[in-house]
Amino acid sequence: MSEKYTRTDFDKYMIPCFYPAPFIPIKGKGSQIWDQEGKNYIDLAGGIAVNSLGHANTQLIEALQKQANKLWHIGNGYTNEPVLKLAKTLVKSTFADKIFVCNSGAEANEAALKLARKYALENYGHNKSEIIAFNKSFHGRTLFTVTVGGQPKYSNDYGPLPINITHLPYNNLEAVSNHISEQSCAIIVEPIMGEGGVYPANNYFLIGLRELCNQYNVTLIFDEVQTGVGRTGSLYAYQEYGVEPDILTSAKGLGGGFPIGAMLTKEAWAQVFQPGTHGTTFGGNPMAATVANNVLSQITQELLLGVKKRNTWIIKRLNELQEKYNFLKEIRGMGLLIGVELAISWKNQAKKLINLAAEEGVIALIAGPNVLRFTPALNIPFSDLQEGFIRLERAILRLNS
Ligand SMILES: *Cc1c(COP(=O)(O)O)cnc(C)c1O
């Protein structure tokens, strides 16, 4: 690019929904990134659990380029081969009978919540519309999903909001069983709460939710936007838990960096959406579906095993750092979705620590003011992990001094 762009241009021309880092990345390969100045970073964030196979993955580039020469978009008056392949693959490898394809996690959840309401209406009549969700959960930024999410600060200013949504404490089965009734329509839950601080659900909690949903004819929705597509060491986290939802939403890692979302469900729910009842212009376009197909083809048993090995490696390394610096209170998560809650003495310093880490050349995330979050590419080389944690240690030292 001949013209030079700077971080200042962000403040000048972009609506300030975000507060991006002072540097601007321009290139990535695998789990490394370079900025405008040529500075190198190890990427332990993976674009917030999106770049599941790293940056500039050779196979993804080839698949995308091949499809780019054939067909980009055709519209909903026609179907296309890549999306049919995607549907077949997801159906064959999960609990689902059918899928709906969209462009993001919020859209997948929006579709899921709408489907649950319509399913309840058609099967049980009016007066069964209550959505049960959990405190601190995150489901996206559309008005419906942000209201269902458990962080009121994200929805308060946008009223009037959709109604009949109840928030209960996460991992508290008793609270749900005390509250749920025949008027409840759906429960939506993240098997591992991501944005809210990386809290895995207890097994008994998900099993209990399944039983309560069966008992009260309530649709169980698993939001696997962050936990899906190999992130936990299984294709989807529900497979780790052995508890099947009625609807599952997927996005983030599904496109490996290309925008795509999907809602997976069983036949009884699928038939509630008929032509005209729900839709999307871009959803299921051949470009996005081609990339997702290629991502899924690379999520092999070997790759999933590698996710678990990397988890073990990271936990061990964190424990070594803990012995030296006593900086953490708890390590949570599964596979390559790892949260590190900082010790009381380091309270509210997560953001400061990742800023220092970026200065040292390693990118990580936070999940709330006290939690560091690591969501690297599922295939991050061990040598990059090694170097990344050396740089992270330098940041810890600086914060400590
Ligand atoms: C990121 C995320 C979403 C929202 O996905 P978008 O693609 O940003 O709309 C929804 N649910 C969970 C659990 C997420 O982590």
Side-chain angles (χ1 to χ4, degrees):
M1 221 176 286
S2 51
E3 225 176 314
K4 172 90 176 156
Y5 293 97
T6 66
R7 174 62 176 76
T8 316
D9 291 322
F10 180 92
D11 296 332
K12 211 162 157 188
Y13 300 114
M14 300 217 29
I15 295 171
C17 293
F18 307 105
Y19 188 77
F23 61 92
I24 300 181
I26 55 166
K27 197 175 83 175
K29 184 70 192 166
S31 285
Q32 298 193 25
I33 291 171
W34 289 266
D35 71 11
Q36 289 173 314
E37 267 64 59
K39 181 175 165 182
N40 169 277
Y41 302 82
I42 302 291
D43 184 7
L44 301 181
I48 319 188
V50 166
N51 302 309
S52 36
L53 300 165
H55 300 274
N57 178 277
T58 312
Q59 278 175 252
L60 288 183
I61 293 171
E62 269 171 27
L64 188 63
Q65 284 178 342
K66 230 169 115 193
Q67 186 59 40
N69 284 308
K70 290 205 280 191
L71 188 67
W72 286 32
H73 179 86
I74 187 70
N76 299 308
Y78 315 86
T79 190
N80 65 76
E81 290 178 350
V83 80
L84 295 174
K85 178 173 172 165
L86 176 63
K88 194 167 170 185
T89 305
L90 285 174
V91 164
K92 295 252 180 254
S93 44
T94 67
F95 74 100
D97 299 317
K98 293 200 168 151
I99 76 165
F100 169 79
V101 187
C102 51
N103 313 287
S104 68
E107 279 175 69
N109 284 328
E110 183 83 18
L113 295 164
K114 283 175 69 179
L115 179 58
R117 284 239 171 119
K118 192 163 162 59
Y119 176 86
L121 179 72
E122 292 190 0
N123 287 283
Y124 307 101
H126 292 280
N127 217 8
K128 191 174 175 66
S129 65
E130 182 197 37
I131 311 284
I132 296 175
F134 297 96
N135 297 335
K136 286 170 84 177
S137 64
F138 184 78
H139 300 297
R141 298 288 198 154
T142 63
L143 196 60
F144 199 175
T145 57
V146 88
T147 311
V148 167
Q151 302 192 53
K153 66 170 188 224
Y154 291 155
S155 59
N156 277 344
D157 296 346
Y158 302 105
L161 301 173
I163 58 167
N164 216 358
I165 296 162
T166 302
H167 293 98
L168 298 173
Y170 189 73
N171 263 338
N172 186 332
L173 189 59
E174 207 186 337
V176 184
S177 75
N178 286 341
H179 180 86
I180 197 169
S181 75
E182 291 293 344
Q183 273 84 59
S184 305
C185 160
I187 297 179
I188 182 166
V189 63
E190 296 167 81
I192 300 171
M193 197 180 267
E195 305 297 311
V198 190
Y199 291 95
N202 295 321
N203 207 261
Y204 76 82
F205 181 61
L206 294 187
I207 293 171
L209 292 183
R210 178 70 274 174
E211 284 168 358
L212 287 169
C213 284
N214 293 348
Q215 194 180 336
Y216 291 94
N217 298 311
V218 169
T219 298
L220 183 59
I221 305 169
F222 282 178
D223 178 347
E224 292 230 30
V225 170
Q226 189 153 162
T227 54
V229 197
R231 181 63 42 197
T232 61
S234 287
L235 182 59
Y236 286 101
Y238 84 86
Q239 294 161 327
E240 289 279 327
Y241 283 94
V243 180
E244 283 187 2
D246 302 307
I247 302 177
L248 179 151
T249 54
S250 186
K252 290 202 165 94
L254 184 58
F258 202 94
I260 185 168
M263 173 181 71
L264 288 60
T265 191
K266 309 284 285 180
E267 181 60 38
W269 281 262
Q271 50 179 269
V272 167
F273 273 174
Q274 291 293 320
T277 47
H278 188 65
T280 159
T281 293
F282 294 122
N285 70 78
M287 294 288 274
T290 294
V291 180
N293 282 328
N294 201 281
V295 168
L296 289 171
S297 77
Q298 294 189 58
I299 310 285
T300 57
Q301 282 310 313
E302 194 188 341
L303 182 112
L304 294 173
L305 194 67
V307 168
K308 298 197 171 183
K309 284 186 186 150
R310 284 163 177 77
N311 170 286
T312 308
W313 189 97
I314 292 173
I315 305 283
K316 183 163 166 274
R317 192 74 180 84
L318 283 168
N319 280 317
E320 285 166 14
L321 290 173
Q322 168 68 356
E323 276 184 25
K324 280 196 193 167
Y325 305 106
N326 197 23
F327 76 117
L328 64 83
K329 186 173 151 202
E330 190 176 41
I331 304 170
R332 295 188 291 261
M334 207 186 273
L336 286 174
L337 172 52
I338 297 175
V340 175
E341 181 160 345
L342 295 177
I344 306 285
S345 51
W346 294 57
K347 204 169 162 54
N348 296 331
Q349 307 256 53
K351 184 77 194 172
K352 201 166 164 201
L353 184 54
I354 67 157
N355 287 344
L356 289 172
E359 284 180 25
E360 295 298 332
V362 58
I363 294 175
L365 299 166
I366 60 173
N370 297 318
V371 179
L372 297 181
R373 180 171 36 148
F374 302 105
T375 54
L378 308 181
N379 60 0
I380 183 172
F382 281 97
S383 54
D384 286 347
L385 279 179
Q386 182 76 41
E387 179 60 25
F389 274 82
I390 288 170
R391 296 179 187 182
L392 184 70
E393 181 167 4
R394 283 189 207 129
I396 293 172
L397 266 167
R398 278 174 65 191
L399 190 61
N400 209 13
S401 60

